[in-house]
Amino acid sequence: MCGVAGVFGIEGASSHVASILFAIQHRGQESCGAVARDARGRMHGHKGMGLVKQVLNEDVQARLSGSTSIGHVRYPTAGCSDELNSQPHIIELDHGPIMAIASNGDLINYGELRQRLEGDGVVFKSDNDAELIGRIIALYHVRDGLSMEEAIARTQRELKGAFSTVVMYRDLLYAFRDPHGFRPLVMGHIPRTGSGEPTSEGTVFASESCGLGIIGARLLREVKPGEILRLEAGKPVVSVSHAPLEPKHCVFELIYFSRPDSQEFGETVYQTRERIGACLAAKDDHLPNGEDLVVMPVPDSSNFIALGYAKAKEAEFGMGLLRNHYVGRTFIKPTQASRDEGVKQKFNPLPDFFPGKRVVLIDDSIVRGTSLKKIVSMVRGAGAKEIHLRIGSPKVIGPCYYGIDTPTRDELIANRMTGEEIRAYLGADSLEWLEVGDFEGLLPGRRKDFCTACFDLDYIYPPEGFAEKTNVPSARAEEAIP
Ligand code: SF4
């Protein structure tokens, strides 16, 4: 998971990019960067390891002058965590820089495409999908003489997987998205004073709509799956082409990754989470309500799921665990050791909150189970009488190949233990998950528009050999066996 930003036609564009990236910092905390185009048409970039406030500080923003800028926050999924893999990438050819690119998502056919380009003599500086996308576009444009729009469209057709991408080229800005729309990408507008026809000036892009309000922009719409948008000074935004395939929006964005104040895939994130909580509560009619029952989230991503549960059950809602906000998301830390340390630093139980309480503890998902085991033990140690774990997603049984760093199948606890064994391992009194079938009711009429592959193995692009390694049947994975 990463985040992208783009700003067109506003002086000090890199400052706005930095603000958007700060609002979507939860999508990546390892590195970040921005590129801007100055008044003389030269591109200047800055990137580094660390958070937006440190890397893209005010001095850096002042150096990145100009009215067009793109930026990126990264957590590593493909390629290691270092500065070379940070984005945006400036793609240079013999005659100097021609474009800058930032992208969110992973490609399934990265290896195959990179091999092909290396065979054509292309030299890579990173192991990053965004650089690959940029180099393919540059090759088609410069070597094959295609227009930029044609080069992007041809590249878009050849890539398999997830990409929500912004590209700066000369005085233009492009935004495009993979044909399935795995990852979100929204377009917003900063109103300009004065009259006249609306033009591209004041147009912004962000991975999530929560990045718009911070710079005074309003949400216009999502970049559609398979769409290419072109922004040119003084002209309206042009939808150059739109070639969608079967929608496959990542349902985990709604459950966990995105901020609750975002709107994406036609859904409002916090409302979806409240519906998930209500769905879990509806299955719990055997768990009696009472004065000693308290519903609480593992903060913050589960807050609205717990709220939805408590409302539906008409039970007390409490925040028994305090979260230290100076510790980042433990999920997106790259090693188990850093994740374990993160849990200890991150949560602390409120004094005198738990004794005598039956706690319905809500979490968004169980991946390895190691962090949740520590949290359950913390709540038990603080005096909870009973702990009933309720999980706002189905069992995670498969890795993600579209831009989320989930572990291998063997590391996923749901593949190693039965439900009862997981409950015992975590130390809870009861444990219930959402079911894959619940998405029908949670996303009425839209279930098929969402990817749920990490829960049901129904990968639209199953990796080579996946079906053979799979012991849970999947219609699509079965089809993939040669
Ligand atoms: S596999 Fe899971 S995390 Fe990956 S895109 Fe699909 S739903 Fe999202």
Side-chain angles (χ1 to χ4, degrees), residues 182-183 250-252 257 399-400 402 404 451-454 459:
F182 282 101
R183 302 275 151 238
C250 171
V251 81
F252 234 151
F257 301 125
C400 177
Y402 316 123
I404 305 296
C451 174
T452 51
C454 49
Y459 294 98

Side-chain angles (χ1 to χ4, degrees), residues 193-214:
T193 50
S195 56
E197 288 295 303
T199 66
S200 295
E201 274 99 345
T203 300
V204 304
F205 295 95
S207 283
E208 288 182 39
S209 62
C210 69
L212 301 181
I214 193 169

Side-chain angles (χ1 to χ4, degrees), residues 192-351:
R192 296 170 73 84
T193 50
S195 56
E197 288 295 303
T199 66
S200 295
E201 274 99 345
T203 300
V204 304
F205 295 95
S207 283
E208 288 182 39
S209 62
C210 69
L212 301 181
I214 193 169
I215 59 166
R218 69 180 171 85
L219 176 64
L220 289 177
R221 67 171 174 89
E222 298 192 24
V223 178
K224 296 173 194 162
E227 188 176 32
I228 302 171
L229 294 172
R230 183 185 69 222
L231 278 65
E232 186 173 357
K235 298 192 175 168
V237 178
V238 178
S239 180
V240 174
S241 63
H242 179 215
L245 294 171
E246 185 185 354
K248 283 289 163 196
H249 311 310
C250 171
V251 81
F252 234 151
E253 291 272 0
L254 295 177
I255 296 170
Y256 169 68
F257 301 125
S258 296
R259 251 174 54 166
D261 51 339
S262 286
Q263 292 176 298
E264 60 197 27
F265 312 143
E267 304 288 330
T268 301
V269 176
Y270 84 90
Q271 289 176 353
T272 310
R273 290 184 188 168
E274 285 197 354
R275 290 202 297 274
I276 290 172
C279 178
L280 288 169
K283 296 166 187 257
D284 261 354
D285 51 2
H286 57 282
L287 189 66
N289 212 340
E291 281 187 1
D292 60 344
L293 190 80
V294 63
V295 181
M296 55 167 271
V298 174
D300 286 329
S301 49
S302 311
N303 289 357
F304 285 94
I305 304 177
L307 200 58
Y309 183 106
K311 274 190 203 168
K313 206 169 173 60
E314 296 181 356
E316 183 192 335
F317 174 84
M319 296 292 289
L321 286 175
L322 196 83
R323 182 187 157 183
N324 183 336
H325 286 91
Y326 296 96
V327 181
R329 277 187 142 176
T330 42
F331 172 83
I332 63 177
K333 288 184 177 294
T335 64
Q336 186 60 49
S338 58
R339 280 190 293 274
D340 286 352
E341 188 55 27
V343 169
K344 268 195 280 171
Q345 292 173 355
K346 189 168 171 179
F347 300 112
N348 202 31
L350 294 189

Side-chain angles (χ1 to χ4, degrees), residues 85-233:
N85 279 307
S86 307
Q87 299 185 39
H89 294 286
I90 293 181
I91 307 290
E92 294 169 6
L93 293 181
D94 295 344
H95 52 282
I98 70 153
M99 60 187 273
I101 183 166
S103 189
N104 171 209
D106 278 357
L107 303 174
I108 300 295
N109 57 344
Y110 175 87
E112 176 196 324
L113 292 171
R114 178 160 174 158
Q115 220 176 4
R116 197 183 81 196
L117 258 68
E118 285 177 334
D120 284 344
V122 174
V123 178
F124 286 82
K125 290 183 175 172
S126 73
D127 302 319
N128 194 269
D129 296 46
E131 186 191 358
L132 176 81
I133 298 171
R135 293 207 179 275
I136 298 176
I137 295 169
L139 206 63
Y140 290 157
H141 180 50
V142 177
R143 183 194 68 184
D144 298 350
L146 298 184
S147 71
M148 197 60 177
E149 285 80 6
E150 289 166 341
I152 293 173
R154 186 166 156 194
T155 305
Q156 196 183 35
R157 285 194 298 274
E158 290 183 1
L159 303 174
K160 273 189 187 171
F163 50 97
S164 285
T165 310
V166 285
V167 163
M168 272 170 66
Y169 168 73
R170 296 193 174 148
D171 56 349
L172 306 173
L173 182 71
Y174 291 93
F176 54 96
R177 205 165 157 216
D178 67 74
H180 302 286
F182 282 101
R183 302 275 151 238
L185 183 62
V186 298
M187 175 166 62
H189 186 70
I190 298 184
R192 296 170 73 84
T193 50
S195 56
E197 288 295 303
T199 66
S200 295
E201 274 99 345
T203 300
V204 304
F205 295 95
S207 283
E208 288 182 39
S209 62
C210 69
L212 301 181
I214 193 169
I215 59 166
R218 69 180 171 85
L219 176 64
L220 289 177
R221 67 171 174 89
E222 298 192 24
V223 178
K224 296 173 194 162
E227 188 176 32
I228 302 171
L229 294 172
R230 183 185 69 222
L231 278 65
E232 186 173 357

